[in-house]
Amino acid sequence: MIFQAEFLCSNTDWKKCPEADLPEFAFIGRSNVGKSSLINAMANNKKLAKTSSTPGKTRLINHFLINKKWYLVDLPGYGYAKVSKKSRNSWGEMSSAYLQKRNNLMCTFVLVDVRLEPQIKDLEFINWCGAKQLPIAIVFTKADKVKAGERQSNIAKFEKALLETWEELPPQFVSSSVKKSGLDEIISYINEIIS
Ligand code: GTP
Ligand code: MG
C-alpha cells in the first residue's frame, strides 16, 4: 500500500536526479496513455502528478518518494506528434539516457492503451528495452473504456506481436485509474521486488 507520497523534483538530466540510494520504478508510455493518472490513483492523491487531456503534459523526469522507501518516476510520453522534432529528440535523449544510466532503476512500467490495437511506437519502445536488457513490465491502461472482449482481443494481439521478438513475455497488468482497478497488483509487484 502507498501511505505516503511526496513530490521531490523535476529534471531534464538524469545526472541531476536524487541520489540513487533507494530502489526506483519508472512509468513511461505514449503521451496521454494515463501515466500521471495511474501514479495519482496508486497514491490515492489526485494532485500528486499533473494530468491533462492534452498530450505532452509531462515533459520532465519527475521524482516522487513513496513510503520513504522507494522512488517513483513519471517520465514524459514518447511518440507525441505535435511537438517539434527537435524537442521530441531531446525528450527521447533525456528518457533514454535516464533509462540506461540510472543504476537504482529496478523496473520500468511501460503503459499501453488497451483500447488500441498494437501500436508500432509501443512495440518499438518495448523492443528497445529488450535489446538494452532493461527490466520492464507492461500495464494496459484505461480498461474501463472498453468491453472485456475487446480488451482481451487487444491484449492477445499485443502479446502475439511481442512474441515475434520476445522469448518470454514480461509481467503484465491491466489497470483503470477511474475504476481504481489493477493498482494493488502493481504495488504488490513493486513491494515484492524491494523486499
Ligand atoms: P502526458 O503526461 O501528456 O504524457 O500524459 P499521461 O500519460 O501522463 O496521461 P494523463 O494521466 O495526463 O491522462 C491523459 C488523459 O487520459 C486524461 O484526460 C485522463 O483523465 C485520462 N485517463 C487516464 N487514465 C484513465 C483511465 O484509467 N480511464 C479513463 N477513462 N481515462 C483515463
Ligand atoms: Mg503525464
Side-chain angles (χ1 to χ4, degrees):
M1 199 186 132
I2 293 183
F3 49 85
Q4 197 194 37
E6 112 190 58
F7 170 73
L8 291 182
C9 53
S10 300
N11 287 290
T12 52
D13 185 348
W14 67 273
K15 289 179 193 136
K16 294 183 187 143
C17 290
E19 205 187 324
D21 53 356
L22 292 173
E24 185 155 307
F25 297 85
F27 289 77
I28 196 165
R30 284 188 316 121
S31 200
N32 217 39
V33 71
K35 296 174 294 291
S36 302
S37 302
L38 180 69
I39 290 165
N40 290 347
M42 290 196 314
N44 200 15
N45 178 347
K46 283 198 174 139
K47 291 188 184 146
L48 195 61
K50 290 191 189 101
T51 64
S52 164
S53 54
T54 328
K57 183 74 190 173
T58 308
R59 296 184 177 221
L60 299 163
I61 303 168
N62 298 297
H63 270 79
F64 301 87
L65 178 62
I66 309 296
N67 297 347
K68 297 208 190 286
K69 265 179 106 168
W70 53 276
Y71 293 125
L72 186 159
V73 173
D74 188 8
L75 288 172
Y78 52 79
Y80 176 46
K82 277 196 185 156
V83 299
S84 72
K85 211 168 188 181
K86 192 173 163 209
S87 85
R88 197 154 69 224
N89 285 342
S90 69
W91 284 359
E93 278 162 28
M94 174 175 89
S95 296
S96 77
Y98 161 83
L99 291 168
Q100 292 178 85
K101 307 271 189 188
R102 187 76 173 158
N103 58 22
N104 59 335
L105 186 60
M106 312 296 284
C107 179
T108 298
F109 292 90
V110 184
L111 276 58
V112 173
D113 191 331
V114 80
R115 296 175 298 177
L116 309 175
E117 303 224 331
Q119 303 283 301
I120 306 259
K121 280 264 180 331
D122 293 327
L123 295 168
E124 275 177 358
F125 179 75
I126 290 172
N127 287 334
W128 178 84
C129 291
K132 302 282 179 194
Q133 298 198 306
L134 301 170
I136 61 159
I138 298 173
V139 181
F140 292 99
T141 63
K142 308 197 184 184
D144 59 285
K145 288 257 198 174
V146 279
K147 295 206 178 87
E150 195 181 344
R151 188 161 76 218
Q152 280 153 12
S153 141
N154 284 343
I155 292 174
K157 283 180 192 157
F158 203 88
E159 287 176 342
K160 191 168 171 232
L162 279 184
L163 285 170
E164 284 175 19
T165 44
W166 289 65
E167 274 175 35
E168 204 183 325
L169 292 172
Q172 294 176 41
F173 302 91
V174 181
S175 74
S176 162
S177 303
V178 171
K179 293 260 159 70
K180 302 211 179 265
S181 61
L183 312 176
D184 291 344
E185 286 85 348
I186 298 169
I187 296 167
S188 299
Y189 181 69
I190 292 172
N191 282 330
E192 250 172 59
I193 294 177
I194 63 176
S195 61

